Amino acid sequence: MAAVLAATGSWLARPSVEPVPALPAAVVSQRSQSTGHSADPTKDAEADVVVNVVGAVPKPGLATLPANARVADALRAAGGANPGVDLSALNLARRLADGEQIAVGVPAAEQQPVLGGGSPAPGAKLDLNAATREQLDALPGVGLVTAQRIVDWREQHGRFRSVNQLREVEGLRGNRLSQLIARVRV
């Protein structure tokens, strides 16, 4: 009898497999078909970015994406690149910023008149979000290293929203920063 009780006790004490609880279903926010925005506009402003995808894509135009979206997500939203398009000029891993334009397979639109591909025309300010490293280097007091740091900051953080964000670029302080702010725009 003791052996039967011991066997029954060890059988009841053995580990048992518990069923996995059902996971809640994913909730997709309901968006209006006409506007592409949810019923709560404040949530959209915090959670979404709107970008303009242009160039060699099947569906160019505006795309509303989550705030942490990347260039690859914008390209996917526009239907991908057309066959044969060279994407090497795009950093597909870069995070998007609200209001930016993604040019696919075409040179980005010149937003600033330039003389000889270097500095902006006299009296014109250089666009921080469109300027090349060489154009930034041509500005007085910048230099190649600082120009590269500005381009690197832009690639890591997305578009400059204000010229005051130049304060976040390593090595830009004091008089150099003031001179640069006076010569650039966003």
Side-chain angles (χ1 to χ4, degrees), residues 1-178:
M1 176 101 139
V4 170
L5 284 175
T8 305
S10 36
W11 185 75
L12 291 174
R14 70 177 168 77
S16 61
V17 177
E18 293 186 28
V20 176
L23 297 174
V27 178
V28 177
S29 66
Q30 297 298 320
R31 294 183 175 269
S32 163
Q33 294 293 329
S34 62
T35 64
H37 295 289
S38 67
D40 184 359
T42 58
K43 271 189 171 178
D44 284 340
E46 296 169 4
D48 292 342
V49 293
V50 178
V51 296
N52 184 19
V53 184
V54 298
V57 294
K59 299 183 289 186
L62 297 179
T64 302
L65 301 161
N68 61 349
R70 303 197 181 255
V71 172
D73 299 320
L75 184 60
R76 197 173 306 114
N82 291 340
V85 173
D86 179 18
L87 298 178
S88 63
L90 289 176
N91 177 358
L92 298 174
R94 184 178 56 77
R95 289 189 191 272
L96 296 172
D98 189 52
E100 77 175 286
Q101 183 176 63
I102 309 297
V104 180
V106 295
E110 278 295 322
Q111 297 184 13
Q112 183 68 48
V114 260
L115 300 173
S119 57
K125 292 186 175 187
L126 185 64
D127 186 337
L128 273 176
N129 294 310
T132 65
R133 183 181 69 175
E134 291 74 21
Q135 289 170 325
L136 290 165
D137 178 36
L139 293 173
V142 173
L144 194 55
V145 172
T146 303
Q148 185 61 52
R149 287 179 180 162
I150 293 169
V151 170
D152 291 345
W153 188 98
R154 189 173 63 202
E155 288 177 357
Q156 292 171 359
H157 299 94
R159 295 176 57 84
F160 282 93
R161 292 188 178 101
S162 163
V163 292
N164 289 322
Q165 284 182 299
L166 283 169
R167 298 178 196 285
E168 299 172 18
V169 175
E170 183 184 345
L172 277 177
R173 300 285 177 263
N175 195 32
R176 277 181 61 198
L177 177 64
S178 299

